[in-house]
Amino acid sequence: MSREKKPGFNLQSILDSHDNPFVIIDEDYNIIEANQAYCTCYGTALEEVLGSKCHMIHHKSELPCHSYGEDCPMQRVMETGDRHQDWHIHHNREHSPECVIVRESPVYDENGRRYLGEEIARHVNNQ
């Protein structure tokens, strides 16, 4: 039985279909894709987000979060290839710290290269 050709999809439209902020991050902490909810949450335009380090946006820090003792979801998913969920401290668009739930999954490109897909669920008391 042959498989029918799958339709091509516009990645941005898929990302924007998520209500929660969602980003795709490469192994060097660079944000390579983001949805509109992410840009709204962190108060920045998509053009400014793409290519930025995730720790600059999430933590307003020059260093990744593991550098100052926080669990780094990026490291865990890239090392294990497993899904991960944890509480994390991010800084919102007002630059105030807030506790969020981050849900990370490995995502792969057509060549099998692994990236981090991260959904950010804002804690209800912070909204």
Side-chain angles (χ1 to χ4, degrees):
M1 175 192 290
S2 66
R3 295 181 76 179
E4 290 185 37
K5 184 176 188 234
K6 295 179 184 177
F9 291 98
N10 176 287
L11 180 59
Q12 191 64 50
S13 70
I14 293 169
L15 293 172
D16 286 337
S17 72
H18 290 267
D19 291 332
N20 286 330
F22 191 91
V23 289
I24 298 176
I25 303 168
D26 72 14
E27 70 275 0
D28 295 319
Y29 304 94
N30 297 307
I31 297 171
I32 61 168
E33 298 290 347
N35 68 1
Q36 187 57 49
Y38 181 88
C39 296
T40 300
C41 177
Y42 293 101
T44 188
L46 182 62
E47 298 78 27
E48 295 171 10
V49 168
L50 299 180
S52 295
K53 301 288 186 187
C54 59
H55 47 85
M56 291 292 298
I57 304 291
H58 299 165
H59 306 287
K60 310 299 185 224
S61 172
E62 295 285 332
L63 300 172
C65 55
H66 65 86
S67 299
Y68 47 89
E70 197 167 350
D71 176 43
C72 181
M74 169 65 163
Q75 283 187 320
R76 188 172 294 203
V77 171
M78 295 306 272
E79 288 172 4
T80 67
D82 295 332
R83 296 178 66 149
H84 180 66
Q85 177 174 306
D86 206 351
W87 291 96
H88 224 249
I89 302 296
H90 282 191
H91 288 79
N92 60 26
R93 69 174 162 215
E94 289 85 27
H95 303 282
S96 299
E98 66 179 1
C99 193
V100 297
I101 298 171
V102 288
R103 296 181 187 110
E104 303 89 11
S105 298
V107 295
Y108 299 89
D109 68 12
E110 61 275 358
N111 298 316
R113 185 173 172 194
R114 184 182 301 159
Y115 296 85
L116 173 72
E118 182 175 77
E119 177 187 19
I120 300 157
R122 299 176 78 191
H123 190 274
V124 71
N125 291 334
N126 292 325
Q127 293 187 8

